[in-house]
Amino acid sequence: MPDASFAVVAKAGDRIADLSTPRPVIDEDRLAANIARVQSYMDEHGLNFRPHIKTHKIPALAVAQVAAGAKGINCQKVTEAEVFAAAGFGDILITFNILGQQKLERLAKLNEKIPGLKVVADSETTVDGLAAHFSGHKALTVLVECDTGGGRCGVQTPEEAAALARRIAAADGLTFGGIVTYPKPQSAAAIEAFIAETLDLLQSDGIACPIVSNGGTPSLFEAHLVTSATEHRAGTYIYNDRQMVRMGHCSEDDCAMHVLATVVSRPTADRAVIDAGSKALTSDLQGFSDYGLIVGYPQARITSLSEEHGVIDLANCTGPRPQIGEKLFIVPNHTCVVSNLFDTMVFHRGGVVTRVEEVAARGLVW
């Protein structure tokens, strides 16, 4: 068996440059600035903000987000919500259709435990399953999920949204809590049109709609253009990543997460190999043709990943090239997936470790 001490990856006061790799490292100052920046924007526009914890999966970071002014949190799965409920969070929205007896039983226990649990549904099947399980018990708050152009889950028209809201409102054991959407970026006008028509239909039916929840980091700073929304949800903003830089949401200097990797081979003049493969950087391309941005070597391209190796093409580098043993800071294409690949996150300020946090909700995907 491996030495258990090997699992202790870092401690406060260690130098980032001395850490074993591959290892995600989080810049404390950038993290704090990202939290403050977004909360200030939401406060300025009178929007409730509900951070999505799937990006970091760490209760201590959600505590910081709520301390800054966030109203509750957003989880994606029941098991994630259980971790955060155990950490003391009482206002949790789970934005996923929940089906199946095992999930419903755990959801019911969670609903008894915390006062502000909410879920979503986009079909009669989901609503009827929830109603059958919660009938005769503490009522569960359910929001109707609407597809306003994102092309994932959600009812397709305001008429369908209103009909499902009526079904929820009439069901024993359920309470209609509002509507929720995860739209495509930069589509505020279409979102607002869908929501406004839905609200008119609900008003005609005499159904109150206390929550109108819009979402997404890519369109974060257009949230105020959806004037009917009462809250906005976003997750990636806390770390930011390469895709957020490309979309204009932030600059490279706002990226709080880097994957620290070591050059372990230079087989040719134009090729370097690092110890970070798909198990560290993820295989998510997010529309890029390579697997991350290497700080200090913008012309180098991570062209392929196997499980433990990342291959870097250096052919376009006009200046110095990374050497064997050199440690590289890589801005990942997608930070949220990186969080789910490691047991701990190392935080630092100025290259010195400040703390190590367990990724408490890692692997909780149902």
Side-chain angles (χ1 to χ4, degrees), residues 323-345:
Q323 300 301 310
I324 294 175
E326 185 175 345
K327 285 185 172 151
L328 305 178
F329 286 81
I330 301 168
V331 178
N333 291 347
H334 192 186
T335 59
C336 306
V337 184
V338 173
S339 292
N340 200 50
L341 296 173
F342 291 87
D343 292 330
T344 57
M345 286 287 151

Side-chain angles (χ1 to χ4, degrees), residues 296-329:
Y297 296 100
Q299 295 163 322
R301 297 178 61 250
I302 306 172
T303 54
S304 67
L305 301 178
S306 52
E307 290 182 65
E308 307 292 355
H309 298 83
V311 176
I312 304 175
D313 181 357
L314 305 174
N316 293 322
C317 293
T318 56
R321 300 181 176 198
Q323 300 301 310
I324 294 175
E326 185 175 345
K327 285 185 172 151
L328 305 178
F329 286 81

Side-chain angles (χ1 to χ4, degrees), residues 262-281:
T262 301
V263 178
V264 295
S265 179
R266 281 291 310 276
T268 73
D270 290 340
R271 188 195 317 158
V273 181
I274 53 176
D275 59 357
S278 62
K279 291 180 177 177
L281 283 170

Side-chain angles (χ1 to χ4, degrees), residues 135-322:
S135 179
H137 299 283
K138 178 187 173 184
L140 176 69
T141 299
V142 183
L143 284 69
V144 174
E145 184 168 7
C146 304
D147 179 5
T148 58
R152 195 164 67 181
C153 298
V155 296
Q156 298 299 296
T157 66
E159 290 76 14
E160 290 179 57
L164 203 57
R166 288 193 293 271
R167 197 177 189 91
I168 294 166
D172 182 38
L174 303 183
T175 298
F176 175 66
I179 58 177
V180 60
T181 185
Y182 185 78
K184 67 179 180 180
Q186 287 81 52
S187 59
I191 302 164
E192 177 60 28
F194 190 110
I195 291 173
E197 186 175 347
T198 302
L199 292 176
D200 285 344
L201 292 170
L202 292 174
Q203 185 176 28
S204 297
D205 290 335
I207 298 175
C209 186
I211 298 173
V212 178
S213 185
N214 189 20
T217 296
S219 53
L220 186 58
F221 293 106
E222 292 188 352
H224 67 285
L225 300 178
V226 184
T227 56
S228 296
T230 62
E231 72 173 29
H232 195 88
R233 311 177 321 280
T236 310
Y237 83 97
I238 191 170
Y239 289 156
N240 286 318
D241 55 22
R242 194 181 180 199
Q243 63 169 330
M244 293 299 108
V245 175
R246 179 187 58 199
M247 299 186 85
H249 166 71
C250 65
S251 72
E252 185 182 334
D253 290 339
D254 297 315
C255 292
M257 176 192 278
H258 295 92
V259 175
L260 189 64
T262 301
V263 178
V264 295
S265 179
R266 281 291 310 276
T268 73
D270 290 340
R271 188 195 317 158
V273 181
I274 53 176
D275 59 357
S278 62
K279 291 180 177 177
L281 283 170
T282 97
S283 55
D284 277 13
L285 284 170
Q286 300 297 107
F288 294 99
S289 60
D290 52 351
Y291 295 92
L293 178 64
I294 305 173
V295 176
Y297 296 100
Q299 295 163 322
R301 297 178 61 250
I302 306 172
T303 54
S304 67
L305 301 178
S306 52
E307 290 182 65
E308 307 292 355
H309 298 83
V311 176
I312 304 175
D313 181 357
L314 305 174
N316 293 322
C317 293
T318 56
R321 300 181 176 198

